């Protein structure tokens, strides 16, 4: 995504420059949707907004300024038709993220915007009427309007390293504590955690090797299971859908859906237990009646992983015990995979310090914020990119209007 928007007014003509620190723009966009880029979601606002956290109302003006159908039309008019898949998720018709990047780059250049790569902004200073930026390559920039769109902290190799939080703080804005979301939850005993790593360790490196338990589960994909989250022993929520065991831990759409809540609770010192219902369509009595035939209900790899983790030492229990275990496959959660491989950063620039209508920073004239740097994140399904596109557009329009009305 665009990193920076900077505008100066010269004889009422705007000069707009995007300063991007990476050699190519939109590195993260290339990774999205497993390289297919699920760039928005076709739901209307009522169905869209429950997927936005922590305050969907903040997104409302940006959403109605650029609803999903308008974004699709804008891209289609610029050579990028799109298709809608399951769950109203919208992808480019080519299913290639690179086509979205190319389309955006074309649009930016056609609009006369200077797109400058390899420009890592190091410092931002405010003088009386302008923002003064200095870049790692020694170049200096002055602008009357500045848009911070530096993203969050996830996948830092794409360029998002949280720089915008520092400048927002320097401008007097509150930055809410950040934490990884849409990330793998690591069950206890799933990874080989080095001795002395600390009992309270919550962030567990994705690269740590799997334990024998992890190896027995990694690679299993569960379809249409039930997932319940218990926080300090209390049922917090239940979801239904697909879930994957990966080299990170528990992921997949349903795992991701509960990860925000779980990471936040773990960081607050709470205990998390996840319970998988492998057969939500059958009750325990019906399952127990299957007797030894229960094996036929599950693919072999799942049955093997389930037995290895549920009954590691003891012999298999009776039919009733097995049925109970199938309905309550339990995992105490030790921690989560951090920014190195999470999809989104939760937390960020406090929404109370930013106008939802213009995305201008309150009390810092000429400063605007857009995208993941804000304390705004969402579930999987194209919502996060819609936040980025719609807040990006509104911030750009507001900055331009403000500059032109000088
Ligand atoms: C693996 C993965 C898959 C995803 N899939 C999807 C998906 O399918 N659908 C969806 O909706 N969302 C998805 N997301 C989330 C989505 O990518 C983000 O919400 C979105 O990219 C945020 O956009 P942004 O412009 O705010 O930040 P970013 O995309 O992070 O862009 C910020 C840019 O700022 C630049 N920058 C940072 N600091 C500086 C500096 N000091 N100077 C100059 N430039 C700087 C960075 O290099 C970067 O290019 C995915 C994320 C990941 C990691």
């Amino acid at each position: 995504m665009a990193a920076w928007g900077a505008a100066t007014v010269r004889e009422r003509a705007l000069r707009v420059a995007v300063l991007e620190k990476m050699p190519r723009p939109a590195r993260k966009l290339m990774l999205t949707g497993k390289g297919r880029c699920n760039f928005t979601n076709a739901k209307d606002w009522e169905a869209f907004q429950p997927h936005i956290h922590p305050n969907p109302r903040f997104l409302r003006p940006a959403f109605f300024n650029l609803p999903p159908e308008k974004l699709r039309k804008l891209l289609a008019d610029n050579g990028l038709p799109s298709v809608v898949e399951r769950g109203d998720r919208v992808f480019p018709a080519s299913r290639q993220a690179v086509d979205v990047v190319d389309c955006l780059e074309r649009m930016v250049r056609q609009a006369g915007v200077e797109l400058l790569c390899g420009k890592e902004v190091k410092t931002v200073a405010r003088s009386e009427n302008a923002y003064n930026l200095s870049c790692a390559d020694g170049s200096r920039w002055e602008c009357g309007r500045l848009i911070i769109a530096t993203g969050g902290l996830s996948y830092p190799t794409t360029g998002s390293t949280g720089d915008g939080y520092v400048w927002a703080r320097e401008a007097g804005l509150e930055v809410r504590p950040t934490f990884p979301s849409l990330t793998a939850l690591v069950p206890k005993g799933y990874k080989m955690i080095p001795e002395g790593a600390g009992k309270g360790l919550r962030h567990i490196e994705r690269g740590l090797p799997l334990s024998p338990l992890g190896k027995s589960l990694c690679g299993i994909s569960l379809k249409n299971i039930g997932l319940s989250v218990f926080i300090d022993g209390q049922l917090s929520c239940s979801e239904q859908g697909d879930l994957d065991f990966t080299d990170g831990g528990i992921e997949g759409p349903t795992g991701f859906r509960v990860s925000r809540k779980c990471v936040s609770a773990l960081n607050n010192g709470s205990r998390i237990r996840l319970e998988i219902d492998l057969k939500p369509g059958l009750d325990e009595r019906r399952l127990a009646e299957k007797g030894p035939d229960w094996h036929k209900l599950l693919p072999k790899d799942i049955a093997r992983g389930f037995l290895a983790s549920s009954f590691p030492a003891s012999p298999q229990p009776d039919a009733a015990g097995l049925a109970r275990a199938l309905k309550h496959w339990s995992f105490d959660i030790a921690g989560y995979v951090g920014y190195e491989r999470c999809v989104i950063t939760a937390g960020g620039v406090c929404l109370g310090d930013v106008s939802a209508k213009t995305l201008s920073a309150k009390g810092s004239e000429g400063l605007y914020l857009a995208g993941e740097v804000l304390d705004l994140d969402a579930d999987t399904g194209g919502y996060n990119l819609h936040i980025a596109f719609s807040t990006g557009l509104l911030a750009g329009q507001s900055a331009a209007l403000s500059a032109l009305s000088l």
Side-chain angles (χ1 to χ4, degrees):
M1 299 297 294
W4 276 79
T8 54
V9 184
R10 277 208 190 99
E11 295 167 344
R12 300 189 65 76
L14 293 178
R15 181 182 170 206
V16 181
V18 175
L19 305 184
E20 165 57 57
K21 81 169 167 200
M22 301 302 277
R24 301 231 344 111
R27 288 283 295 269
K28 187 172 282 177
L29 205 62
M30 296 287 280
L31 302 179
T32 56
K34 297 188 175 141
R36 303 184 329 137
C37 188
N38 172 201
F39 69 81
T40 186
N41 189 288
K43 288 187 176 59
D44 65 14
W45 175 247
E46 283 315 308
F48 192 102
Q49 55 103 12
H51 297 277
I52 309 298
H53 315 289
N55 179 3
R57 266 191 326 178
F58 182 89
L59 186 68
R60 206 172 187 280
F63 179 93
F64 282 102
N65 186 50
L66 183 69
E69 66 274 16
K70 195 166 156 191
L71 173 61
R72 291 185 67 191
K73 180 163 182 339
L74 187 67
L75 296 178
D77 290 347
N78 284 279
L80 192 93
S82 53
V83 291
V84 181
E85 291 193 3
R86 191 163 57 97
D88 304 316
R89 293 170 307 147
V90 181
F91 294 84
S94 65
R95 267 72 164 196
Q96 298 285 327
V98 65
D99 292 341
V100 182
V101 176
D102 288 348
C103 175
L104 292 174
E105 216 175 320
R106 245 184 351 258
M107 288 169 71
V108 163
R109 293 199 194 279
Q110 273 164 14
V113 172
E114 291 170 64
L115 178 52
L116 302 157
C117 292
K119 294 281 176 199
E120 180 181 359
V121 177
K122 285 301 226 187
T123 61
V124 175
R126 173 95 177 117
S127 61
E128 206 181 321
N129 297 318
Y131 286 92
N132 300 291
L133 319 182
S134 61
C135 288
D137 65 358
S139 61
R140 290 179 180 279
W141 299 78
E142 188 186 286
C143 57
R145 305 288 178 277
L146 174 66
I147 303 173
I148 298 180
T150 43
L153 286 156
S154 55
Y155 274 77
T157 46
T158 63
S160 328
T161 48
D163 303 3
Y165 301 134
V166 178
W167 307 322
R169 258 190 220 107
E170 286 169 357
L173 308 179
E174 184 189 340
V175 177
R176 288 271 156 86
T178 59
F179 57 94
S181 186
L182 306 182
T183 196
L185 297 169
V186 188
K188 273 192 184 141
Y190 197 86
K191 292 265 193 187
M192 306 289 275
I193 302 198
E195 259 181 61
K199 255 193 156 180
L201 188 74
R202 298 299 186 201
H203 169 207
I204 296 176
E205 281 291 331
R206 179 143 193 146
L208 284 177
L210 293 169
S211 67
L213 169 72
K215 282 184 189 153
S216 71
L217 296 176
C218 180
I220 288 179
S221 279
L222 301 174
K223 301 280 173 232
N224 206 22
I225 48 86
L227 180 69
S228 297
V229 176
F230 292 82
I231 302 182
D232 292 327
Q234 299 290 317
L235 177 64
S236 168
C237 65
S238 292
E239 300 277 346
Q240 199 156 330
D242 302 345
L243 181 150
D244 300 324
F245 288 94
T246 66
D247 62 326
I250 292 178
E251 297 190 70
T254 311
F256 276 165
R257 215 172 306 138
V258 302
S259 67
R260 188 182 203 282
K261 184 175 266 189
C262 293
V263 172
S264 171
L266 285 165
N267 285 346
N268 287 333
S270 291
R271 284 174 294 112
I272 300 288
R273 182 163 51 85
L274 298 185
E275 246 183 47
I276 297 173
D277 179 350
L278 283 167
K279 287 285 153 198
L282 291 176
D283 62 23
E284 265 181 55
R285 191 181 50 79
R286 294 265 316 278
L287 273 174
E289 282 166 11
K290 301 270 173 202
D293 281 347
W294 73 271
H295 274 281
K296 295 184 185 152
L297 296 171
L298 297 175
K300 265 195 190 127
D301 61 329
I302 300 179
R304 212 178 305 120
F306 163 70
L307 286 177
S309 91
S310 300
F311 311 103
S314 48
Q316 260 185 46
D318 59 12
L322 258 172
R324 201 170 316 117
L326 285 163
K327 298 288 288 178
H328 303 274
W329 190 9
S330 282
F331 296 91
D332 288 327
I333 298 301
Y336 52 82
V337 167
Y339 296 118
E340 74 273 14
R341 285 284 290 277
C342 73
V343 171
I344 198 87
T345 305
V349 176
C350 177
L351 302 181
D353 286 355
V354 180
S355 155
K357 286 195 179 135
T358 61
L359 295 171
S360 58
K362 292 179 186 164
S364 286
E365 217 192 318
L367 181 63
Y368 299 78
L369 298 108
E372 199 174 327
V373 72
L374 291 164
D375 179 13
L376 208 54
D377 60 281
D379 300 335
T380 54
Y383 306 102
N384 280 302
L385 279 173
H386 198 84
I387 291 177
F389 281 122
S390 59
T391 57
L393 181 68
L394 185 55
Q397 288 172 335
S398 308
L401 270 178
S402 143
L404 287 168
S405 65
L406 270 182

